[in-house]
Amino acid sequence: MAGGQRLQRLNRSCILLIAIAGIERFAFKGVASNLVTYLTDVVDLSNSSAAKMVNSWVGFTSIMPLLVAPIADAYWHKYSTIMVSSFLYVMGLAALTTTALARSWHHKNRTISSSFLSLSLYLISLGQGGYNPSLQAFGADQLGDEEELPCSKDDKSSNKKTLFFQWWYFGVCSGSLMGVTVMSYIQDTFGWVLGFAIPAISMVLSILIFSCGSPIYLYKQHDDDLQDKKPFMNIFQSIKASALKCFHCEITLPNDKSEVVELELQERPLCRENMESLKDLNKDQKSSMYLLANAKVVVRLLPIWTMLLMFAVIFQQPATFFTKQGMTMKRNIGADFKIPPATLQSAITLSIILLMPLYDRIFIPIAQLFTRQEKGITVMQRMGIGMVLSIIAMVIAALVEMRRLEIGRQMRSAGSEAETVPLRIFWLLPQYILLGISDIFTVVGMQEFFYGEVPRTMRTMGIALYTSVFGVGSFVSALLITLVEVYTNSKGKPSWFSDDMVEARLDNYYWLLACLSTVSLLLYALLCKFYHNRSDSEGDN
């Protein structure tokens, strides 16, 4: 795969859309990466409340594509969806900036500003719900492949799509890196008004660039028939037609060479008015069964989709509890400069940017020696390796947190009331870097897997399935926090998420996540044994 991919090149429209995706990630990460700090330090929420609010918002943001994608696939062109969604996106960012400005002017009217804050955040979610999957699917359309199975046995086509998804993720991570590092520093140093205004301006810039590239885009038309225009409606109709067919059985015994006797058993139709629909069904039998098969493909993805949720839960920690950990550790560089805790999230994206080229140049050739496969490893093996690395990251996070708590308790017993412990914040880097490496395997693999396992007319839905993993995972994370709080309060013990970081037990929470993720990984490995790729299933048929 490595050698094959180096011979492939992406066209101008793909490169432009990758750059636009990077700008969007800069805007989103510029808000999301440090939002927990804004909620605790400015809005005065508790650690657990802030974490649950961030998780719920990120979850809603990530699950919105799953709700918008069917409409976009059935009724809208991807280009129109991108333009409308980006307008809502900018409105949300502008409203968030206005909220920060109003709070800096009027500290008393916090109820109105808090409500407006929630409204602006969820307006961003609504805009991103149509923007991200449509932009990525539109980018994949620029490859010009018309085959029904994007991950077919055509190695050249498959390698080209893999190359696109890897460079797409490279662009996304580059924008995320800039958003986390630059915007966290600006927000902590120059204030939140400027810190929220810059992402809004950058999003406006991305819309202008996208519009200027209109002449070079490839616009695919999949509206030759009704099935292409409304795939979800026709899937429902095909299921209904198949159920109707059960009441109009026509059974013919196979011919035997030694005998010329043919037996036919034909039941009378249950009602006369269904005769016309039966004729239509027979006339369009191939189309109906084809659509029913597409529906089955989506249903087959759900078990794999479910097993990836714990991976998504782990990825909620850097923007929430990892950041709160960093706020209690030694962050000074020199006499004056303090590292913003949210900046360490850049270690995830930086490790992706630096190590992703090594995936093709080093890891794949080594894997090819053992597996004798063109790609080195399958997409599902790639996702599984990332899940293993995320579990190791949580184990390391738990060990570091145990050490931080030990030092904090020693200081407390010595009479010190300082919350900052003399432990360098860089001790958190290994867990961030491991999550970045796991990203290279699992997240890129998820994009290729869900895009390749859905029908051509539902590719936006495929991208939405991928993003919805992180959306539902965010809600699962918020639910876990609530359940743990209820459990610890019932025992009369301090909450694991106490605002007093010396009394908090984040290490226990990290161990819990590691255990749950291990169970999820084992079930995932079991499912992989019974799962067959869509291209293989089509080949068998």
Side-chain angles (χ1 to χ4, degrees), residues 79-384:
Y79 184 92
S80 302
T81 304
I82 293 169
M83 293 301 295
V84 173
S85 300
S86 59
F87 176 73
L88 296 175
Y89 205 144
V90 170
M91 286 183 60
L93 290 170
L96 182 63
T97 306
T98 305
T99 301
L101 184 62
R103 186 174 286 274
S104 64
W105 286 350
H106 305 287
H107 295 282
K108 295 181 180 180
N109 198 356
R110 294 188 175 184
T111 302
I112 297 178
S113 57
S114 297
S115 301
F116 198 61
L117 169 65
S118 299
L119 178 63
S120 60
L121 288 175
Y122 286 98
L123 189 59
I124 294 173
S125 302
L126 183 62
Q128 195 186 83
Y131 186 88
N132 273 355
S134 298
L135 185 67
Q136 189 167 6
F138 189 63
D141 285 348
Q142 305 307 305
L143 299 176
D145 296 323
E146 294 292 343
E147 74 280 1
E148 170 64 20
L149 296 174
C151 290
S152 63
K153 296 179 180 178
D154 183 355
D155 292 332
K156 183 178 179 181
S157 172
S158 181
N159 287 346
K160 192 173 182 181
K161 278 192 166 54
T162 300
L163 178 67
F164 167 77
F165 283 115
Q166 287 186 349
W167 279 105
W168 181 275
Y169 200 59
F170 181 87
V172 163
C173 290
S174 300
S176 298
L177 175 64
M178 293 297 295
V180 170
T181 54
V182 175
M183 296 314 305
S184 296
Y185 176 76
I186 290 176
Q187 289 161 357
D188 288 358
T189 307
F190 299 102
W192 295 96
V193 177
L194 182 62
F196 289 150
I198 293 177
I201 296 172
S202 65
M203 195 62 198
V204 173
L205 178 63
S206 72
I207 297 175
L208 296 177
I209 296 175
F210 178 77
S211 301
C212 292
S214 299
I216 66 173
Y217 296 145
L218 173 64
Y219 301 91
K220 286 192 175 183
Q221 300 292 336
H222 301 312
D223 53 356
D224 296 334
D225 51 34
L226 186 61
Q227 281 76 19
D228 282 340
K229 285 183 179 179
K230 301 179 180 180
F232 283 89
M233 180 64 68
N234 285 282
I235 285 174
F236 172 77
Q237 291 176 351
S238 66
I239 296 173
K240 178 181 177 181
S242 299
L244 180 63
K245 187 178 179 182
C246 295
F247 295 96
H248 303 281
C249 301
E250 184 174 322
I251 305 174
T252 303
L253 296 180
N255 293 329
D256 191 284
K257 292 183 179 180
S258 61
E259 300 180 5
V260 294
V261 179
E262 182 176 316
L263 299 177
E264 288 188 3
L265 174 61
Q266 182 173 355
E267 296 183 359
R268 297 175 63 87
L270 296 180
C271 50
R272 295 176 181 268
E273 51 269 21
N274 284 333
M275 287 298 294
E276 284 295 294
S277 62
L278 180 58
K279 291 180 181 179
D280 293 338
L281 172 64
N282 292 331
K283 183 179 178 180
D284 204 26
Q285 182 179 9
K286 290 184 178 180
S287 178
S288 297
M289 296 310 298
Y290 169 76
L291 291 166
L292 181 59
N294 289 343
K296 290 179 179 179
V297 167
V298 176
V299 173
R300 286 173 62 241
L301 296 176
L302 292 180
I304 301 295
W305 181 90
T306 304
M307 293 304 106
L308 292 168
L309 290 179
M310 281 309 303
F311 177 83
V313 171
I314 287 178
F315 260 81
Q316 306 310 313
Q317 308 315 308
T320 54
F321 293 125
F322 283 10
T323 300
K324 294 303 295 183
Q325 270 183 283
M327 293 178 69
T328 64
M329 302 175 76
K330 191 175 181 180
R331 300 184 282 131
N332 295 77
I333 295 182
D336 301 324
F337 183 75
K338 271 192 174 184
I339 301 174
T343 303
L344 258 66
Q345 296 176 47
S346 62
I348 296 177
T349 51
L350 189 61
S351 61
I352 294 171
I353 293 172
L354 295 178
L355 297 178
M356 185 172 284
L358 300 182
Y359 178 87
D360 285 333
R361 296 177 180 273
I362 297 178
F363 178 80
I364 292 301
I366 293 176
Q368 287 172 339
L369 296 176
F370 294 95
T371 63
R372 303 297 181 183
Q373 296 181 14
E374 179 69 20
K375 289 188 175 183
I377 56 175
T378 65
V379 175
M380 302 191 76
Q381 288 172 340
R382 180 173 185 165
M383 292 189 291

Side-chain angles (χ1 to χ4, degrees), residues 12-62:
R12 290 185 303 163
S13 57
C14 281
I15 295 173
L16 179 62
L17 291 172
I18 288 173
I20 292 171
I23 297 175
E24 184 277 330
R25 283 293 91 184
F26 169 81
F28 182 77
K29 285 294 184 179
V31 173
S33 62
N34 210 20
L35 184 60
V36 70
T37 304
Y38 179 74
L39 295 177
T40 54
D41 294 355
V42 179
V43 187
D44 295 330
L45 294 182
S46 64
N47 288 343
S48 60
S49 298
K52 285 188 286 187
M53 183 173 181
V54 172
N55 285 335
S56 298
W57 174 62
V58 172
F60 184 79
T61 302
S62 300

